Structures are given as structure tokens and as C-alpha cells.
Amino acid sequence: MPFCVNEVMVHEGYRSFEDLDVWKKAREVKNEIFQLVKTFPAEEKYRLIDQLVRSSRSVNAQIAEGHGKRTNPDKIKYCTQARGSLSETLNHLIDALDCSYINPEQLQYYRNRITEVERVLNGYIRYLKSLPQTTP
């Protein structure tokens, strides 16, 4: 039977990282950014485009990798790294604004999306911290 803790759905027993709301929200942002960078100039392919795609993908990858760890401190460590990747993604979007690849409204839209993912990620981290310590 599922229940909600700090806006995180918790199910009895094992569940996939794909079931985590935070992973789903981060995936949406990652896919939006992938579409956005297609509008950037070709000369940015191995610079800003690559950095934006990699940092946005890293958020999901870190959440998934942390989910597969056995101890809560390990899970939290990877979630914290995912939060860092969110900040990195926002920084690259600010760079895109500075280069006039996006406008201020687009930056605000992505800032809001990233803030929402960070809010849910912070809730997940709080939830993990509240659990009894697991042993490897």
C-alpha cells in the first residue's frame, strides 16, 4: 500500500528508480533541454550544447545510481550530487542567455522547472535522512 512522506510516494517493498517522482520530473526537464539545444548554433555542439545535455542527464543518472545503493548515506550522497548537476545545468542556461541563445523568459521558465526538481529532490533527501540507517 503506497503512502506519502514529504511529497514522496513510498511503497512497501522494492520499487524502481523509474517510480520516483523526482526522477520523472528530472527526466522531463532533461528532455526539454535536449529539444532546446537543437536551436543553438552548430559551433556550440561540442561546447555549451554538450555541457547542457551532460549536466541535465547527470541529474537522472545520479538519482538512479543512488537508488541502487544499499545504504541511506550512499543514496543521499548521490542525490546531493544530482542537486549539484541541477545547479550546473542552470549555470549553463545562464551562459546560453549571456550568448543570446535564449531570452530572459526562457531562462525563467527553466529556472522554475529546475527549482521544482530541486524542491522534490530535497524532499526525497529529507525522507532518506528520516529512515533508519541500513547496513550494507
Side-chain angles (χ1 to χ4, degrees):
M1 182 79 154
F3 59 96
C4 188
V5 175
N6 291 330
E7 300 175 11
V8 176
M9 287 303 294
V10 178
H11 300 272
E12 294 175 7
Y14 181 82
R15 65 183 186 165
S16 168
F17 65 84
E18 294 171 285
D19 294 330
L20 297 172
D21 287 341
V22 67
W23 185 87
K24 291 175 188 176
K25 288 183 181 299
R27 182 181 181 201
E28 290 171 5
V29 172
K30 172 196 70 170
N31 289 334
E32 288 179 17
I33 287 173
F34 184 71
Q35 294 304 314
L36 173 70
V37 298
K38 290 179 180 180
T39 67
F40 289 12
E43 66 264 15
E44 290 289 357
K45 182 175 183 177
Y46 298 108
R47 296 185 297 215
L48 188 55
I49 291 172
D50 183 58
Q51 290 178 313
L52 255 170
V53 169
R54 289 170 56 135
S55 65
S56 65
R57 286 179 178 171
S58 178
V59 177
N60 282 92
Q62 296 292 339
I63 293 167
E65 187 169 356
H67 182 270
K69 299 299 180 180
R70 293 188 57 89
T71 69
N72 289 339
D74 283 340
K75 293 174 190 290
I76 292 165
K77 178 181 109 175
Y78 282 91
C79 286
T80 303
Q81 290 173 346
R83 196 168 50 200
S85 293
L86 279 172
S87 294
E88 180 183 356
T89 300
L90 178 58
N91 180 74
H92 294 319
L93 289 165
I94 293 168
D95 290 342
L97 174 72
D98 293 345
C99 294
S100 300
Y101 301 150
I102 63 174
N103 61 45
E105 293 78 21
Q106 288 172 299
L107 176 60
Q108 188 58 50
Y109 171 80
Y110 287 104
R111 183 186 303 272
N112 292 343
R113 297 285 283 146
I114 288 168
T115 298
E116 174 64 12
V117 173
E118 185 174 29
R119 185 185 67 75
V120 177
L121 182 58
N122 286 336
Y124 183 52
I125 291 169
R126 279 192 304 276
Y127 165 72
L128 291 172
K129 286 180 177 179
S130 75
L131 295 175
Q133 293 299 311
T134 56
T135 56

